[in-house]
Amino acid sequence: QTSIVFNPALQFWTSRGFAVLDMDYRGSTGYGRAYRMKLKGNWGIVDIEDVCAGAEYLVKKGLADPKRLAIDGGSAGGYTTLGALTFRDVFTAGCSLYGVADLATLAGDTHKFESRYLDGLVGPYPEQKAVYEERAPICHMEKLACPILLLQGDEDKIVPPNQAELMYDAVKARGLPCSLKIYEGEQHGFRRSENIEDALNSELAFYGRIFKFQPSAGRDIDLPSLEIANLAD
């Protein structure tokens, strides 16, 4: 849920010239039970519809450049990011932080506490296997046509690293610009300050190279070196 309190991660982007839309798509808390329940069984549908509608509205109002629309998100937001980039033709680049690429694989790999987490968001597995495959970005690489940065912790038990690794291999095989950074000792959500800083600066560096502008991490601070496959600078 977005908030009106100070958010340094958002300020990082606005202080560097980015306009930011912080989205409470259907299923978010704070708007009543009916709104929250709209995501039940509809994960990978209504969340993607809402983030795309928000971006398209800003473009229509002249507040965003349709050629430089980026989306990012972590965990469930990473899944929405990958889904929006794969299933819709709205965003031109994106960054998934420990996001879900393959729903069926997650259903078998995630830790015990969240082992039935997807039953309510998607449907019971394997009974609804076809739905899992229909909504999994990894199963529809032919629809993807834009660059992706993937950031992942190597000790993540909730969304294991194989999700990012599988997605990276698939995007790379498609011939699209892509980059994968695995952070040693990090779990689900980065906790070390140096890795949080590096993740933000890596995403900034990625957009700079994709959108062809010169980014800055700040005075006397160098941006991380980023290896991007399939990108001819």
Side-chain angles (χ1 to χ4, degrees):
Q1 183 187 26
T2 188
S3 172
I4 61 173
V5 303
F6 179 76
N7 185 333
L10 294 184
Q11 295 299 315
F12 174 89
W13 295 107
T14 58
S15 66
R16 286 156 178 79
F18 286 74
V20 177
L21 174 63
D22 196 14
M23 196 78 188
D24 277 346
Y25 52 72
R26 280 171 285 177
S28 300
T29 59
Y31 302 91
R33 178 178 173 82
Y35 189 81
R36 181 169 59 83
M37 294 301 291
K38 288 182 182 295
L39 192 64
K40 184 177 181 180
N42 290 313
W43 194 34
I45 298 177
V46 299
D47 49 325
I48 293 174
E49 289 176 349
D50 289 355
V51 296
C52 289
E56 290 171 329
Y57 177 80
L58 295 180
V59 170
K60 183 179 179 180
K61 290 293 184 180
L63 298 173
D65 181 352
K67 295 181 180 180
R68 294 192 293 180
L69 281 179
I71 179 173
D72 76 355
S75 191
Y79 169 64
T80 301
T81 293
L82 295 176
L85 293 171
T86 302
F87 298 119
R88 298 290 295 273
D89 187 23
V90 174
F91 298 97
T92 52
C95 174
S96 169
L97 297 94
Y98 35 90
V100 181
D102 187 333
L103 292 171
T105 298
L106 181 69
D109 287 351
T110 193
H111 64 160
K112 184 177 180 180
F113 181 73
E114 293 190 13
S115 61
R116 311 309 303 181
Y117 182 66
L118 299 182
D119 286 12
L121 291 172
V122 181
Y125 187 84
E127 294 86 346
Q128 297 288 332
K129 181 180 179 181
V131 177
Y132 277 64
E133 293 177 352
E134 179 184 348
R135 299 186 195 172
I138 196 74
C139 295
H140 302 276
M141 284 292 93
E142 75 282 357
K143 297 181 179 180
L144 181 67
C146 58
I148 294 180
L149 171 64
L150 300 149
L151 304 175
Q152 176 72 41
D154 72 341
E155 296 182 4
D156 194 336
K157 303 299 183 184
I158 299 175
V159 179
N162 64 343
Q163 292 281 334
E165 292 165 347
L166 287 169
M167 192 67 185
Y168 173 74
D169 289 341
V171 178
K172 184 178 179 181
R174 280 276 293 162
L176 297 169
C178 57
S179 184
L180 170 63
K181 293 192 79 169
I182 303 285
Y183 291 92
E184 184 178 351
E186 290 289 4
Q187 301 179 23
H188 196 65
F190 304 150
R191 290 164 175 79
R192 298 179 182 174
S193 59
E194 63 270 23
N195 291 336
I196 295 172
E197 180 180 354
D198 184 85
L200 284 167
N201 283 325
S202 293
E203 189 175 353
L204 177 62
F206 182 76
Y207 295 145
R209 291 175 63 186
I210 296 300
F211 294 139
K212 307 299 183 185
F213 68 90
Q214 183 60 50
S216 172
R219 182 178 296 178
D220 300 325
I221 301 176
D222 294 327
L223 286 172
S225 176
L226 198 62
E227 182 179 343
I228 303 177
N230 300 323
L231 181 66
D233 288 315

